[in-house]
């Protein structure tokens, strides 16, 4: 165990560090003071980096105990711990009757000589910590079991399944590329929504596609980024992101078409998918540029290429893409900020005393 690992171990159990002007030595005091107040000395020497003699050990112990007794803090209960690769030599550092434990770095074990008892309930936890640090679990393959993917991404998988089902069902009854038939099935038309109040089209248009290529491209992006976002945000918030940004993307598309007086029908999950992209980007930014395998640079490149592809292609609803992306960014910052703050607060608590 390193000195920093000892710090984490004792801080997590209510001890606080005591500054000593001695290299290779850590001193911890129990957080509860009283007649039976606890005091702990940790001495490290590893392969000669911090050598220790019996005289030095006696001097350090005498100084620490004397200082606390002069301040009238009550009797000092002292435990010495030696971390070493040569546990047999560590026994020679202490006189008979002194309380000392030895951490054997080679054998990854805590050694107590002469039937020494517990000290402040530390024996069991320290034994476990020493063993686990010396015998780490083998690295698992960075693959998530299929069952876990299904549990974490069930909403996204269902959305993909519905999109595919609607496309296949429509293929049996009509030509998906026929604009009139798409309109009859629920494509987004600005006049119908704004004047005839057919608001359902803001939902139905997301599940219609103008061809197999259109469907495959959208579903591939949704599979990778949607699964990621649902795992990060949770099921309910993911559905809010998807449908909320899809609706806002539809409104952006309608508004643009009304302004330029263009009469078209729009279909596809692209607006909602760009909303997912925006929410993932917001989550990455909130996590200071990286979440798991995704980085801010990767997301920026993906967004730029996607928008460029839409702007340089015909028949692409760029207003829906940009509207969905902006909506996803805004909703991502609103809904994911609190969860990121909780993660940071939890991490800070784990690192404090």
């Amino acid at each position: 165990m390193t000195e920093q690992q000892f710090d984490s171990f004792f801080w997590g159990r209510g001890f606080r560090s005591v500054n000593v002007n001695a290299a290779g030595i850590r001193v911890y005091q129990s957080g509860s003071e009283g007649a039976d107040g606890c005091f702990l000395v940790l001495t490290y020497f590893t392969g000669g980096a911090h050598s220790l003699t019996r005289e030095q050990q006696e001097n350090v112990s005498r100084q620490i105990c004397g200082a606390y007794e002069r301040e009238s803090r009550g009797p000092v209960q002292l435990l010495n711990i030696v971390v070493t690769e040569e546990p047999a030599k560590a026994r020679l550092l202490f006189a008979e009757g002194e309380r000392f434990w030895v951490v054997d770095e080679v054998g990854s074990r805590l050694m107590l000589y002469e039937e020494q008892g517990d000290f402040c309930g530390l024996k069991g936890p320290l034994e476990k910590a020493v063993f686990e640090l010396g015998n780490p679990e083998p690295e698992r393959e960075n693959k998530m079991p299929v069952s876990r993917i299904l549990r974490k991404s069930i909403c996204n998988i269902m959305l993909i399944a519905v999109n595919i089902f609607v496309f296949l069902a429509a293929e049996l009854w009509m030509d998906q590329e026929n604009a009139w038939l798409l309109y009859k099935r629920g494509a987004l038309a600005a006049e119908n929504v704004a004047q005839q109040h057919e608001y359902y089209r803001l939902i139905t248009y997301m599940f219609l596609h103008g061809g197999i290529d259109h469907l495959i491209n959208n579903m591939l992006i949704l599979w990778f980024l949607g699964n990621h976002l649902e795992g990060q945000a949770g099921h309910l918030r993911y559905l809010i992101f998807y449908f909320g940004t899809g609706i806002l993307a539809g409104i952006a598309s309608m508004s643009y078409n009304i302004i330029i007086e263009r009469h078209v029908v729009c279909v596809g999950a692209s607006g909602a998918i760009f909303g997912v992209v925006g929410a993932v980007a917001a989550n990455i930014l909130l996590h200071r540029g990286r979440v798991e395998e995704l980085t801010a640079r990767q997301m920026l490149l993906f967004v730029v290429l996607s928008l460029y592809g839409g702007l340089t292609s015909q028949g692409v609803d760029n207003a829906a893409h940009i509207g969905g992306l902006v909506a996803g960014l805004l909703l991502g910052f609103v809904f994911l900020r609190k969860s990121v703050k909780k993660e940071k607060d939890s991490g800070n608590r784990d690192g404090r005393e």
Side-chain angles (χ1 to χ4, degrees):
M1 292 179 71
T2 66
E3 297 180 21
Q4 290 72 29
Q5 288 168 339
F6 264 99
D7 286 344
S8 298
F9 176 84
F10 284 101
W11 292 347
R13 283 157 182 80
F15 286 74
R16 55 178 175 268
S17 299
V18 177
N19 292 326
V20 292
N21 188 22
I25 294 178
R26 282 288 199 274
V27 179
Y28 305 95
Q29 180 192 350
S30 172
S32 58
E33 292 190 16
D36 297 324
C38 299
F39 193 77
L40 178 64
V41 178
L42 294 153
T43 304
Y44 303 86
F45 66 101
T46 55
H50 295 299
S51 60
L52 183 70
T53 65
R54 181 165 181 171
E55 291 75 16
Q56 291 171 328
Q57 181 273 325
E58 290 177 346
N59 185 45
V60 170
S61 298
R62 189 183 311 112
Q63 289 181 5
I64 292 173
C65 293
Y68 269 74
E69 288 173 355
R70 285 193 298 272
E71 294 179 16
S72 301
R73 298 194 183 191
V76 175
Q77 302 292 328
L78 183 63
L79 169 66
N80 298 283
I81 297 180
V82 180
V83 181
T84 178
E85 296 179 354
E86 301 177 289
K89 292 184 178 180
R91 296 190 61 178
L92 304 177
L93 297 172
F94 302 96
E96 184 177 352
E98 285 188 276
R99 184 186 285 120
F100 70 97
W101 296 353
V102 178
V103 173
D104 177 9
E105 291 189 294
V106 177
S108 300
R109 56 180 177 166
L110 176 67
M111 303 175 65
L112 278 66
Y113 294 101
E114 301 171 359
E115 302 296 330
Q116 296 189 43
D118 204 349
F119 187 87
C120 299
L122 295 173
K123 179 175 176 292
L126 186 57
E127 281 182 323
K128 182 179 179 182
V130 171
F131 178 80
E132 290 179 349
L133 288 170
N135 299 274
E137 293 183 5
E139 292 187 8
R140 300 175 181 175
E141 292 185 6
N142 191 24
K143 295 181 180 178
M144 188 181 295
V146 174
S147 59
R148 190 178 175 192
I149 293 177
L150 292 174
R151 288 195 303 271
K152 291 187 67 175
S153 310
I154 184 64
C155 294
N156 190 53
I157 293 171
M158 290 179 65
L159 287 172
I160 293 173
V162 171
N163 274 280
I164 295 173
F165 173 79
V166 170
F167 179 83
L168 293 177
E171 281 288 293
L172 297 176
W173 301 319
M174 71 177 191
D175 180 1
Q176 277 275 55
E177 297 182 359
N178 187 304
W180 170 251
L181 291 177
L182 287 172
Y183 167 79
K184 296 292 289 184
R185 293 291 178 180
L188 185 62
E191 293 81 1
N192 290 71
V193 176
Q195 299 173 11
Q196 301 178 32
H197 308 296
E198 295 178 358
Y199 301 116
Y200 65 88
R201 291 180 181 273
L202 288 167
I203 299 292
T204 54
Y205 91 98
M206 291 186 245
F207 296 95
L208 297 171
H209 288 84
I212 186 65
D213 292 340
H214 189 199
L215 175 73
I216 291 175
N217 289 339
N218 280 346
M219 294 305 102
L220 284 176
I221 298 173
L222 188 59
W223 171 258
F224 290 107
L225 293 183
N227 286 351
H228 173 85
L229 181 59
E230 186 174 354
Q232 292 283 317
H235 307 307
L236 178 59
R237 281 189 292 186
Y238 177 70
L239 291 176
I240 292 174
F241 286 135
Y242 187 86
F243 285 103
T245 57
I247 291 170
L248 292 173
I251 293 173
S253 174
M254 289 193 315
S255 302
Y256 178 74
N257 289 328
I258 290 173
I259 291 172
I260 65 173
E261 297 182 350
R262 183 174 64 179
H263 303 281
V264 295
V265 295
C266 301
V267 296
S270 302
I273 291 172
F274 266 86
V276 170
V277 171
V280 171
N283 194 38
I284 291 173
L285 293 174
L286 288 170
H287 281 87
R288 298 184 178 181
R290 186 179 187 89
V291 177
E292 295 179 353
E293 72 280 4
L294 296 178
T295 66
R297 181 177 297 180
Q298 290 171 334
M299 286 304 301
L300 178 61
L301 180 62
F302 175 80
V303 169
V304 170
L305 291 177
S306 298
L307 291 176
Y308 176 78
L311 292 170
T312 56
S313 302
Q314 293 183 343
V316 176
D317 192 350
N318 291 298
H321 291 181
I322 296 172
L325 178 65
V326 173
L329 282 167
L330 294 176
L331 290 178
F333 281 115
V334 170
F335 284 94
L336 297 174
R337 184 185 302 168
K338 289 185 178 180
S339 62
V340 173
K341 186 177 183 299
K342 287 181 180 179
E343 291 176 13
K344 291 181 179 178
D345 290 343
S346 177
N348 290 338
R349 285 195 300 270
D350 291 341
R352 290 197 299 263
E353 295 182 20

